[in-house]
């Protein structure tokens, strides 16, 4: 365990290289990195201490303006909220450090120690000080007592109060008796770097980092993270006609490709190399406007700072990011990447169409694919799902017809069938993609004229029930789609439940509840 004193990390910027290194140490899982609760409070206080004075200065300025103008100025200032600012910094530092408890007993002992001006506290003119230092000291000792198998490296440059680690003044020597072999003092952050890491830099580091960021796993993580993008004012991207287009959120996961990697720093920690780098990505996918109406395909650049390693089980961590912005159309390499993304989507659509064989399957692909393709340009999942449901099941046309016939037995009229299907869809609406899918299905139901169209409708009705995001990231999605057909097929009856209902009915009840 590495425990920092306040003076070693005071006014630490969460976006600084030092903060990145601490994240690397923690995320490597070879080392724990912490601050006592008392240190966390001091760090937050040091960041917020000027806030009340600055707030009052603005109030004074507004009062002077009010006295000067012959009218009431419209300017106003939100009320002082010191706790809100403190909580912001507590959260920011809590993301970087593990926080170990400073118990009530430690705080009591600390201020008893300060009252007598005994180390690590001290006498200053006519008063004693250092109660917080003593609370930090007792926090470290309590951790050692509660974790006898841990060794602590305590990072502090306050050698006047804590000593140099080779010997301790009374009564600190009594405090640590029996724990001496568990505690080592480091004087500053540089000693942490030299003790626990080996810096990796240069062209080799940049090449290795670029290779890692190009991997499918990292691109997939970036695409997932992009789905959380949202703005009250929206973003600007590049439409398919290469004109600027306003958009507010992705309709489905975009395709992602790496554009560039800069400012790479690497540190080897216990034989594993961890990197931080600034990466720029090209994103291309379907987007929506402020009312979640589709605006078509959007391309944009997205810059971010990431923390990552070569470990297969460790996903990259997004540290900071900028707002997406339109790609530079004058940059030839950038536009080549965009064209490659567009071609990737087109190839997926073409490949899915080539897989269909029977007239019914061709009808499904030709009639449904252009609409369903809007649901997921990332891997055109909806189209792939339609193709695999039709093409991967033995006797596809027969199986679909059989399923349709079995389900029709449950309803007396077309109106009842449509009402039941609408109820099923309403249970599943929780994203723009699913709402769009429901609208598509409703539009298709309105055009039903013959059995062939009803068959197409049956496939379309099943599409919104696919979890598009989950299926995109789980290779087992094909098996799940096949299982769904087999469970609903009369030739594959489900086992009866103890309460007399079958599994499918129980699942419907669970989804509805």
């Amino acid at each position: 365990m590495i425990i920092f004193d306040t003076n070693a990390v005071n006014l630490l910027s969460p976006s600084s290289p030092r903060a990145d290194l601490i994240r690397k140490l923690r995320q490597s899982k070879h080392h724990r990195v912490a601050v006592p609760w008392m240190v966390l409070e001091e760090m937050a206080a040091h960041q917020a201490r000027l806030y009340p004075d600055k707030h009052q200065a603005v109030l004074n300025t507004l009062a002077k303006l009010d006295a000067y103008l012959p009218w009431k100025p419209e300017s106003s200032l939100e009320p002082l909220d010191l706790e809100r600012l403190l909580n912001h910094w507590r959260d920011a530092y809590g993301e970087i450090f593990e926080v170990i408890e400073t118990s009530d007993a430690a705080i009591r002992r600390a201020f008893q120690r300060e009252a007598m001006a005994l180390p690590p506290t001290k006498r200053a003119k006519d008063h004693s000080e250092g109660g917080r230092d003593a609370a930090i000291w007792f926090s470290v000792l309590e951790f050692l007592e509660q974790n006898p198998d841990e060794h602590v490296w305590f990072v502090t440059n306050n050698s006047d109060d804590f000593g140099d680690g080779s010997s301790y003044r009374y009564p600190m020597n009594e405090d640590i008796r029996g724990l001496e072999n568990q505690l080592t003092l480091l004087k500053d952050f540089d000693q942490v770097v030299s003790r626990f890491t080996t810096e990796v830099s240069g062209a080799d580091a940049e090449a290795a980092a670029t290779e890692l960021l190009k991997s499918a796993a990292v691109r997939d993580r970036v695409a997932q993270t992009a789905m959380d993008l949202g703005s009250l004012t929206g973003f600007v991207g590049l439409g398919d006609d290469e004109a600027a287009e306003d958009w507010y959120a992705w309709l489905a996961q975009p395709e992602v490709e790496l554009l560039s990697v800069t400012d790479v720093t690497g540190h080897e920690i216990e034989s594993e190399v961890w990197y931080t780098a600034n990466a720029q990505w090209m994103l291309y996918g379907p987007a929506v406007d402020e009312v979640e109406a589709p605006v078509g395909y959007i391309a944009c650049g997205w810059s971010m700072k990431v923390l990552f390693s070569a470990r297969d089980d460790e996903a990259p961590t997004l540290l900071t990011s900028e707002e997406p912005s339109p790609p530079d159309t004058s940059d030839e390499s950038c536009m080549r990447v965009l064209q490659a993304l567009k071609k990737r989507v087109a190839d997926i659509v073409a490949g899915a169409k080539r897989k269909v064989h029977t007239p019914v399957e061709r009808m499904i692909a030709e009639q449904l694919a252009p609409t369903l393709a809007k649901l997921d340009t990332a891997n055109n999942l909806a189209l792939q799902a339609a193709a695999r449901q039709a093409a991967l099941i033995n006797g596809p046309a027969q199986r679909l017809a059989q399923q349709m016939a079995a389900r029709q037995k449950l309803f007396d009229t077309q109106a009842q069938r449509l009402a039941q299907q609408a109820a099923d869809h309403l249970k599943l609406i929780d994203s723009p993609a699913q709402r769009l899918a429901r609208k598509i299905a409703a539009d298709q139901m309105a055009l039903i004229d013959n059995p062939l169209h009803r068959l197409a409708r049956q496939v379309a009705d099943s599409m919104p029930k696919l979890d598009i995001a989950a299926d995109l990231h789980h290779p087992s999605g094909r098996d799940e789609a096949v299982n769904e057909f087999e469970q609903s097929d009369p030739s594959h009856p489900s086992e009866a439940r103890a309460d007399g209902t079958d599994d499918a009915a129980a699942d419907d009840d669970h989804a509805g509840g």
Side-chain angles (χ1 to χ4, degrees):
M1 168 71 87
I2 305 168
I3 299 179
F4 284 93
D5 189 11
T6 308
N7 54 65
V9 288
N10 191 33
L11 298 179
L12 177 73
S13 169
S15 60
S16 68
R18 287 191 172 193
D20 292 344
L21 179 58
I22 294 169
R23 293 184 181 97
K24 291 175 185 176
L25 287 167
R26 282 192 71 186
Q27 203 145 339
S28 72
K29 297 182 174 61
H30 293 294
H31 305 287
R32 296 169 67 184
V33 186
V35 292
W37 171 85
M38 189 72 257
V39 170
L40 179 70
E41 289 300 306
E42 286 192 315
M43 294 175 72
H46 290 168
Q47 292 284 10
R49 69 181 186 274
L50 298 179
Y51 173 39
D53 289 342
K54 290 182 178 294
H55 189 276
Q56 187 60 49
V58 175
L59 287 178
N60 294 341
T61 300
L62 288 176
K64 291 178 181 178
L65 182 64
D66 187 25
Y68 175 77
L69 292 175
W71 60 83
K72 189 71 174 177
E74 296 181 2
S75 301
S76 62
L77 181 64
E78 65 180 22
L80 178 70
D81 191 348
L82 182 58
E83 194 63 23
R84 177 184 176 187
L85 184 58
L86 288 170
N87 283 332
H88 166 84
W89 287 107
R90 288 170 184 141
D91 292 342
Y93 288 130
E95 180 269 328
I96 299 171
F97 299 97
E98 181 180 342
V99 179
I100 62 174
E101 186 60 38
T102 299
S103 68
D104 290 344
I107 293 173
R108 285 175 177 271
R109 291 179 68 189
F111 284 96
Q112 288 170 348
R113 187 70 57 88
E114 183 189 77
M116 295 181 287
L118 291 173
T121 70
K122 57 193 173 187
R123 178 75 61 186
K125 294 184 179 179
D126 59 348
H127 67 280
S128 299
E129 62 185 24
R132 295 194 304 273
D133 287 336
I136 293 166
W137 170 250
F138 288 124
S139 299
V140 173
L141 296 183
E142 283 186 347
F143 179 84
L144 288 172
E145 292 167 354
Q146 296 165 8
N147 299 272
D149 296 331
E150 290 271 8
H151 188 95
V152 167
W153 283 267
F154 182 40
V155 188
T156 178
N157 61 20
N158 186 3
S159 58
D160 290 343
D161 296 331
F162 291 114
D164 60 6
S166 61
S167 63
Y168 297 92
R169 293 176 294 164
Y170 177 83
M172 293 174 68
N173 60 337
E174 297 288 340
D175 298 336
I176 200 172
R177 181 165 291 147
L179 302 172
E180 300 93 332
N181 295 332
Q182 289 179 252
L183 181 65
T184 300
L185 265 59
L186 302 176
K187 68 177 183 179
D188 55 30
F189 202 94
D190 290 342
Q191 285 197 346
V192 174
V193 174
S194 61
R195 172 62 181 79
F196 297 105
T197 75
T198 301
E199 186 172 347
V200 179
S201 59
D204 289 343
E206 186 167 330
T210 301
E211 190 66 25
L212 286 170
L213 291 176
K214 282 183 176 179
S215 69
V218 173
R219 288 189 285 109
D220 184 61
R221 176 59 182 264
V222 173
Q224 292 180 53
T225 306
M227 290 299 293
D228 295 329
L229 285 170
S231 169
L232 295 176
T233 57
F235 309 109
V236 179
L238 198 67
D240 271 341
D241 57 357
E242 297 194 357
E245 186 81 45
D246 292 332
W247 63 284
Y248 283 72
W250 295 110
L251 175 61
Q253 276 192 194
E255 278 283 5
V256 174
E257 196 59 71
L258 182 67
L259 287 176
S260 65
V261 180
T262 57
D263 301 325
V264 178
T265 60
H267 288 88
E268 185 175 338
I269 303 171
E270 302 289 343
S271 75
E272 295 177 354
V273 181
W274 286 78
Y275 299 94
T276 52
N278 291 324
Q280 185 177 29
W281 308 87
M282 175 73 77
L283 277 60
Y284 177 69
V288 296
D289 60 19
E290 68 273 20
V291 294
E292 295 186 344
V295 296
Y297 296 99
I298 295 295
C300 64
W302 194 24
S303 297
M304 62 179 64
K305 187 176 187 179
V306 289
L307 167 65
F308 56 98
S309 79
R311 279 172 39 168
D312 293 336
D313 62 338
E314 195 65 50
T317 300
L318 173 62
L319 301 179
T320 59
S321 67
E322 300 177 4
E323 285 197 350
S325 58
D328 184 359
T329 56
S330 65
D331 186 333
E332 293 184 2
S333 61
C334 177
M335 298 310 291
R336 283 197 299 269
V337 170
L338 177 56
Q339 293 306 316
L341 289 179
K342 292 181 177 181
K343 185 177 184 301
R344 187 184 302 170
V345 172
D347 288 346
I348 292 170
V349 174
K353 288 183 178 180
R354 286 195 297 269
K355 291 180 181 178
V356 300
H357 304 291
T358 68
V360 170
E361 292 164 357
R362 282 196 297 273
M363 179 276 299
I364 292 171
E366 291 171 1
Q367 288 196 2
L368 301 186
T371 303
L372 292 175
K374 297 178 183 177
L375 296 180
D376 191 88
T377 58
N379 277 312
N380 207 346
L381 182 64
L383 176 57
Q384 295 176 65
R388 76 179 172 215
Q389 285 185 349
L392 297 179
I393 299 173
N394 293 333
Q398 295 87 344
R399 294 290 294 277
L400 287 173
Q402 185 182 39
Q403 183 194 6
M404 181 182 72
R407 290 189 178 181
Q408 284 178 336
K409 293 178 182 178
L410 302 176
F411 306 104
D412 296 326
T413 68
Q414 184 184 46
Q416 289 171 323
R417 287 195 296 274
L418 296 179
Q420 180 63 40
Q421 290 161 0
D424 290 342
H425 286 302
L426 286 171
K427 296 177 183 178
L428 300 169
I429 298 172
D430 55 16
S431 73
Q434 289 167 326
R435 284 192 287 273
L436 179 61
R438 183 182 62 130
K439 183 178 183 303
I440 294 168
D443 291 343
Q444 290 171 345
M445 282 190 279
L447 299 174
I448 294 173
D449 297 321
N450 55 55
L452 195 59
H453 282 138
R454 284 196 294 273
L455 180 60
R457 186 200 70 197
Q458 186 67 41
V459 177
D461 287 342
S462 69
M463 294 308 301
K465 299 178 183 179
L466 294 174
D467 186 341
I468 293 175
D471 202 19
L472 180 60
H473 305 298
H474 293 81
S476 60
R478 172 191 178 279
D479 298 330
E480 293 168 358
V482 174
N483 289 340
E484 181 183 346
F485 269 83
E486 291 179 345
Q487 289 169 3
S488 61
D489 193 325
S491 65
H492 294 79
S494 58
E495 295 182 3
R497 295 168 58 92
D499 60 2
T501 63
D502 59 21
D503 292 335
D507 290 341
D508 287 342
D509 291 342
H510 178 70

